[in-house]
Amino acid sequence: MDDEERVRRWCRRVEKRRAEAERQALIAGGLLDRGVRPCADGDDLLLPLVERVEGAEEAMFKPFPHHEDLPRHELVGGIAIMQEEDRAGAARVLASRPSLHTVLFPTSAVEGEFRTREFLVLAGEETTQTVVTEHGHHFVVDLARAYFSARLSTERQRVCDEMTEGERVVDMFAGVGPFALTLADRASLVVAADLNPAAVSLLCENIRKNQKTNVIPVLADAIHLPGVFGRTFDRVIMNLPMESVQFLGAAFALCRPGGTIHFYALVDEEGKYLDAIRAFPVAEVRERRVRSYSPAEWHAVYEIEVGG
C-alpha cells in the first residue's frame, strides 16, 4: 500500500509483550480505532486511537481493506451506545461484533444527583445491563441506573501502577466500583462511597464477583465521609468531573499529609482549578490531560500531594 493510502492517527506506543493486554483495555474503553491496522516499530507496537489521550503520539497507519463504514458509537461491554437514533445503523453495528447484545441511544444527558441517563434500545436485547472487563476485573454495569465510563480504563490502571503496596484508599464517588476494585489490587483497604443506592448495590455485586475482601462499600454523601473516617487515607479518588470542586474540602480532610488526591474535572483552559486547590495545604500539584471530552473541553486530573 502506498504512503498516499495511509492515514494519520493518534496512537499509544506499547511494548509488544504488553500489546494484547493494552489492546483489550483500549477496546473496553472505546478508544481503539478498529478501522486501521496496528503497526510495529522496533520492539514496540503502535495501537491506533479514536482520539488523543495522555501520552499519545501521531503515526501513519494502513486502513483495513473493505472496512464497513459503521455509525459512530461507544462500546461498554456488550453494549454499543450510538450518537444518533438510527435503527438501520444500529442493526449494522449489532451485526458487526459477535460480543454485542444491545445497541442503545441516550435520550437524556447525564443528570440528577445520581448522574444517570435514559436510553432507547435501538437493536438487540431490551436491557441496559452488561459486564465490562478491564485488566482482569469484571464489572456488572447498568447504564440506566448508575454512571459508568469505560474510557477511563487506562487511567484507572495507571493510578494503580503508581501505588505502593498497602495504601489506604477512599473513592469518594465510586459508582459501580471500577476505580475502587482496580486499586484494591495494591491497597490494604479501599473505602468505596456513593450516594446512589443502585450504584452501591452494583458495587456490592462487583466486590463479590471480583472476590475482593478489602473493599468496604458505603452508601453516603461524600461530604460526610471525613466525620466518619477522619484524615486516615493515603490516596483519595475524586472522579465527579462536573462537581468535584465543591468536595475539595472533604478530600483534604480525608487525606493524610504526604498523601495524594486525584481530582478529576472537565476543563476548558489549563490551570482552571489551581487557585481553588491552592486554597488548601498543598505540597505539590500536577495537572494532566486524561482525554478529550468535546472540541473545547477535556477531562483533566490534578494530582495533589497534600501538605502538612
Side-chain angles (χ1 to χ4, degrees):
M1 182 175 288
D2 296 330
D3 286 344
E4 287 75 20
E5 295 177 277
R6 294 174 182 260
V7 293
R8 184 177 295 276
R9 292 288 186 272
W10 290 105
C11 65
R12 185 181 293 279
R13 178 183 294 272
V14 296
E15 297 177 4
K16 288 180 179 178
R17 62 184 177 84
R18 297 178 49 246
E20 181 56 25
E22 183 66 19
R23 190 181 76 88
Q24 291 297 329
L26 292 174
I27 290 172
L31 289 172
L32 184 70
D33 187 339
R34 298 191 181 201
V36 298
R37 298 179 184 274
C39 63
D41 184 14
D43 294 330
D44 297 333
L45 193 69
L46 304 181
L47 299 174
L49 305 173
V50 297
E51 64 183 41
R52 183 181 181 181
V53 299
E54 177 72 20
E57 59 187 82
E58 287 188 293
M60 303 301 293
F61 293 88
K62 296 180 180 180
F64 281 112
H66 311 301
H67 178 69
E68 184 178 3
D69 186 18
L70 295 173
R72 291 193 63 185
H73 59 279
E74 175 186 355
L75 295 178
V76 180
I79 291 177
I81 304 173
M82 291 186 55
Q83 297 185 356
E84 296 181 355
E85 188 178 344
D86 176 3
R87 291 187 180 273
R92 299 203 313 275
V93 170
L94 186 67
S96 70
R97 296 180 176 89
S99 61
L100 290 179
H101 57 76
T102 302
V103 182
L104 302 176
F105 172 70
T107 57
S108 75
V110 178
E111 57 192 7
E113 63 177 354
F114 295 158
R115 297 186 297 154
T116 56
R117 281 193 292 184
E118 295 181 357
F119 293 92
L120 176 67
V121 176
L122 296 181
E125 300 176 18
E126 289 281 338
T127 184
T128 54
Q129 183 167 303
T130 189
V131 177
V132 176
T133 300
E134 291 184 5
H135 298 280
H137 304 98
H138 307 284
F139 307 121
V140 179
V141 172
D142 190 328
L143 297 172
R145 298 173 63 213
Y147 180 78
F148 178 85
S149 174
R151 295 193 169 194
L152 293 182
S153 170
T154 301
E155 175 67 10
R156 289 188 272 267
Q157 192 60 42
R158 182 193 68 82
V159 174
C160 184
D161 290 343
E162 289 184 357
M163 289 175 57
T164 56
E165 294 288 339
E167 289 189 15
R168 291 170 56 89
V169 178
V170 58
D171 186 349
M172 297 175 68
F173 316 103
V176 305
F179 254 116
L181 293 168
T182 299
L183 303 191
D185 288 350
R186 291 197 171 184
S188 61
L189 173 70
V190 180
V191 173
D194 204 279
L195 184 63
N196 180 353
V200 174
S201 176
L202 290 164
L203 168 63
C204 291
E205 184 175 352
N206 290 329
I207 291 171
R208 293 190 295 270
K209 191 176 188 68
N210 291 274
Q211 300 181 331
K212 296 299 182 185
T213 59
N214 59 339
V215 180
I216 299 175
V218 178
L219 177 62
D221 186 330
I223 205 75
H224 301 304
L225 293 176
V228 178
F229 296 100
R231 202 177 187 189
T232 59
F233 294 98
D234 303 294
R235 194 170 301 266
V236 179
I237 305 297
M238 302 180 68
N239 184 31
L240 190 68
M242 296 182 182
E243 302 173 35
S244 281
V245 66
Q246 63 185 293
F247 294 93
L248 273 172
F252 276 87
L254 288 164
C255 193
R256 65 166 180 79
T260 302
I261 297 172
H262 300 265
F263 165 52
Y264 293 87
L266 293 181
V267 301
D268 54 8
E269 60 179 337
E270 300 284 347
K272 182 170 184 176
Y273 290 106
L274 287 177
D275 287 344
I277 292 167
R278 287 173 175 150
F280 298 94
V282 174
E284 184 180 357
V285 58
R286 300 174 299 278
E287 182 179 359
R288 295 179 55 255
R289 185 187 294 242
V290 178
R291 68 181 184 91
S292 299
Y293 183 79
S294 70
E297 289 183 305
W298 59 94
H299 202 161
V301 58
Y302 295 85
E303 297 183 328
I304 306 161
E305 181 182 340
V306 175

